């Protein structure tokens, strides 16, 4: 839902601490000048000022302690980092659009790239037999939706009948046939283990066996269809445009139910537990607390929480915006950067900002969000979601056909 510019860093523990360090360095400078005013010297350095504004727009949207907010994130990957680093010199961890899961006592791993449509399977067991590689491929292709093993960075051992999980309908075998059932999945896996194994080395000289598997060209659309029923159910419940929900999911995670980021945010709609999650639990579900990562890694629950939060933005936090298109654009920006920053984009406090928004056309509102929002990421986000809504709306209209 909300990101800092640290996405190139692989190590989750370092990323979390880098966020805290950045906050720790920036907060004193802002505090010296007062909560609503930057220190006078910073205006002499436009690039730094923009950086501070972007980071603080995220920090200001958080509630509670940053260290407590990150508490769900570090334990998720510290164990993976610790175990995998005993064998791998480049430990890979799941991110928003990739799922990385380990197997064979951490000596094998699989990475599903949901954005670019490819699967990479690697093992340090250079003497692995064809049957062992076949089993590893089968397990990877059969990765289910909602499995606690995958939540924790391990390949699932859940029995499946072919490819009926997160990659259902997205894999074609060497003959171009859709791989759906166990016999075809096993046959394709054995063919890959026989004909598509590449060899490379780590820096320490240890061998890596690698198998690359492309997903179908329409993998994103096919994967999106899996979640249409849950999206329609949640949208009806919370009175939210289902095409918008689908566009948010596409932009946040490329329909990766195991998406995780360093904010931390979890699942398909990248829910931040202490902000959006807390709001939904307290204001919509009428119960105390906040969802934890296990709750949010469940695809159906994640969609409902994210959709409920969109409903709060649309019907409560931004309800004073009269034009429905303008309100939808502001909801998109608020989902990424908070409602407060939407009002800041249009100047003054809430009352003044609402008056200005309501005096503009929806195109003018869009242009303003794209050029004057305090966070560069949110400026880009509004465009991405707007375009994704147009692209995925036919799936909602047509249902699952």
């Amino acid at each position: 839902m909300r990101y800092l510019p640290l996405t190139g860093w692989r190590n989750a523990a370092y990323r979390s601490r880098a966020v805290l360090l950045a906050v720790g360095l920036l907060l004193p400078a802002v505090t010296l000048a007062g909560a609503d005013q930057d220190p006078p010297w910073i205006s002499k350095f436009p690039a730094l000022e923009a950086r501070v504004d972007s980071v603080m727009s995220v920090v200001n949207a958080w509630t509670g302690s940053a260290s407590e907010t990150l508490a769900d994130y570090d334990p998720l990957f510290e164990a993976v980092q610790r175990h995998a680093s005993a064998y791998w010199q480049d430990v890979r961890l799941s991110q928003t659009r990739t799922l990385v899961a380990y197997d064979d006592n951490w000596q094998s791993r699989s990475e599903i790239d949901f954005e670019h449509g490819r699967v990479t399977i690697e093992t340090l067991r250079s003497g692995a037999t064809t049957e062992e590689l076949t089993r590893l491929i089968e397990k990877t292709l059969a990765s289910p939706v909602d499995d606690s093993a995958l939540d924790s960075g391990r390949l699932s051992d859940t029995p499946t009948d072919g490819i009926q999980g997160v990659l259902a309908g997205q894999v074609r075998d060497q003959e171009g046939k859709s791989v759906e059932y166990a016999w075809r999945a096993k046959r394709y896996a054995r063919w890959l283990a026989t004909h598509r194994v590449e060899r490379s080395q780590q820096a320490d000289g240890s061998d890596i066996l690698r198998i690359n598997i492309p997903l179908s060209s329409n993998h994103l659309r096919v994967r999106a269809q899996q979640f249409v029923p849950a999206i329609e159910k949640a949208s009806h419940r919370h009175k939210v445009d289902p095409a918008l929900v689908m566009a948010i999911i596409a932009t946040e995670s490329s329909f990766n139910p195991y998406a995780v980021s360093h904010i931390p945010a979890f699942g398909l709609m990248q829910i931040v537990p202490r902000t959006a999650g807390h709001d939904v639990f307290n204001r919509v579900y009428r119960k105390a607390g906040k969802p934890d990562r296990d709750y949010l890694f469940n695809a159906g629950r994640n969609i409902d929480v994210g959709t409920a939060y969109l409903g709060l933005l649309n019907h409560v936090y931004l309800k004073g915006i009269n034009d429905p298109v303008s309100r939808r654009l502001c909801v998109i920006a608020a989902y990424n950067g908070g409602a407060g920053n939407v009002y800041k984009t249009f100047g003054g406090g809430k009352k003044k900002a609402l008056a200005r928004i309501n005096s503009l056309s929806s195109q003018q509102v869009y242009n303003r969000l794209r050029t004057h929002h305090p966070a560069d990421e949110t400026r880009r986000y509004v465009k991405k979601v707007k375009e994704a809504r147009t692209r995925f709306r036919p799936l909602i209209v047509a249902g699952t056909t």
Side-chain angles (χ1 to χ4, degrees):
M1 177 182 295
R2 192 174 292 117
Y3 305 87
L4 294 176
L6 301 169
T7 52
W9 296 17
R10 287 287 188 176
N11 188 305
Y14 283 135
R15 279 186 292 181
S16 298
R17 283 150 184 76
V19 173
L20 293 176
L21 176 60
V23 173
L25 290 173
L26 291 172
L27 279 178
V30 175
T31 303
L32 286 172
D36 299 317
Q37 183 180 357
D38 287 339
W41 56 264
I42 203 169
S43 61
K44 298 178 182 178
F45 304 94
L48 178 59
E49 185 176 27
R51 175 84 165 180
V52 170
D53 285 345
S54 180
V55 173
M56 290 309 298
S57 69
V58 175
V59 174
N60 290 336
W62 287 6
T63 58
S65 164
S67 60
E68 184 178 348
T69 303
L70 292 166
D72 269 345
Y73 180 76
D74 280 345
L76 178 63
F77 286 130
E78 283 177 349
V80 177
Q81 178 76 29
R82 183 173 67 256
H83 290 296
S85 62
Y87 303 98
W88 297 91
Q89 294 186 313
D90 64 329
V91 176
R92 296 181 186 172
L93 303 170
S94 295
Q95 297 186 48
T96 53
R97 293 172 179 80
T98 57
L99 169 64
V100 180
Y102 288 82
D103 201 52
D104 295 329
N105 193 30
W106 305 97
Q107 295 181 68
S108 301
R109 68 186 180 194
S110 301
E111 180 173 357
I112 302 174
D113 185 332
F114 292 93
E115 181 177 14
H116 299 103
R118 56 179 176 245
V119 179
T120 302
I121 300 171
E122 297 176 312
T123 183
L124 295 173
R125 300 171 67 242
S126 57
T129 66
T130 298
E131 285 304 314
E132 289 171 333
L133 291 174
T134 297
R135 178 196 62 82
L136 184 60
I137 296 167
E138 285 184 279
K139 287 183 69 174
T140 301
L141 295 181
S143 296
V145 178
D146 302 333
D147 187 283
S148 59
L150 287 161
D151 295 353
S152 303
R154 302 298 301 271
L155 273 179
S156 172
D157 288 316
T158 302
T160 58
D161 182 18
I163 303 179
Q164 303 297 323
V166 72
L167 295 179
Q170 301 159 66
V171 180
R172 294 186 175 275
D173 65 12
Q174 71 274 22
E175 298 173 351
K177 303 289 181 62
S178 179
V179 178
E180 298 178 7
Y181 300 108
W183 68 270
R184 190 179 289 276
K186 187 173 186 66
R187 189 181 73 166
Y188 183 43
R190 184 177 290 112
W191 182 86
L192 288 167
T194 304
H195 297 92
R196 288 293 184 268
V197 180
E198 304 172 0
R199 288 184 179 269
S200 62
Q201 288 185 328
Q202 295 197 100
D204 64 0
S206 55
D207 290 332
I208 301 175
L209 302 184
R210 180 180 297 111
I211 299 166
N212 292 302
I213 308 171
L215 299 184
S216 60
S217 59
N218 65 339
H219 67 95
L220 194 63
R221 181 184 178 91
V222 171
R223 197 162 56 252
Q225 288 177 323
Q226 296 184 40
F227 303 108
V228 167
I231 290 170
E232 291 183 329
K233 179 180 178 181
S235 297
H236 179 75
R237 178 183 180 187
H238 302 293
K239 298 180 174 58
V240 173
D241 172 22
L244 175 59
V245 178
M246 182 161 280
I248 293 287
I249 297 174
T251 304
E252 293 284 356
S253 66
S254 294
F255 299 95
N256 170 17
Y258 301 102
V260 61
S261 72
H262 57 277
I263 292 305
F266 301 101
L268 289 164
M269 298 189 72
Q270 284 294 274
I271 307 300
V272 180
R274 284 187 57 83
T275 53
H278 179 270
D279 278 3
V280 169
F281 264 42
N282 285 264
R283 302 195 63 165
V284 180
Y285 295 170
R286 301 295 181 185
K287 63 181 182 180
K290 60 183 175 65
D292 60 18
R293 65 180 180 85
D294 294 327
Y295 186 98
L296 294 173
F297 274 137
N298 176 281
R301 291 196 294 255
N302 188 284
I303 289 172
D304 196 76
V305 172
T307 305
Y309 186 63
L310 287 171
L312 278 176
L313 292 171
N314 188 61
H315 305 304
V316 180
Y317 300 147
L318 299 169
K319 68 177 182 180
I321 301 174
N322 298 328
D323 181 77
V325 177
S326 294
R327 189 166 64 250
R328 182 173 68 239
L329 293 168
C330 290
V331 164
I332 293 169
Y335 192 87
N336 180 258
N341 281 323
V342 170
Y343 292 134
K344 184 178 179 181
T345 302
F346 293 91
K350 178 178 177 180
K351 185 176 181 180
K352 182 178 178 181
L354 284 173
R356 183 164 190 187
I357 293 171
N358 288 329
S359 72
L360 300 174
S361 68
S362 60
Q363 184 61 48
Q364 289 173 320
V365 169
Y366 174 71
N367 293 341
R368 182 81 182 178
L369 290 169
R370 290 275 293 129
T371 57
H372 286 74
H373 193 282
D376 288 340
E377 181 198 338
T378 303
R379 298 178 191 182
R380 296 189 296 270
Y381 186 85
V382 172
K383 182 176 185 289
K384 289 178 183 178
V385 174
K386 182 175 181 289
E387 292 174 348
R389 181 177 177 273
T390 300
R391 188 165 69 253
F392 286 99
R393 191 176 184 187
L395 280 183
I396 294 295
V397 173
T400 56
T401 59

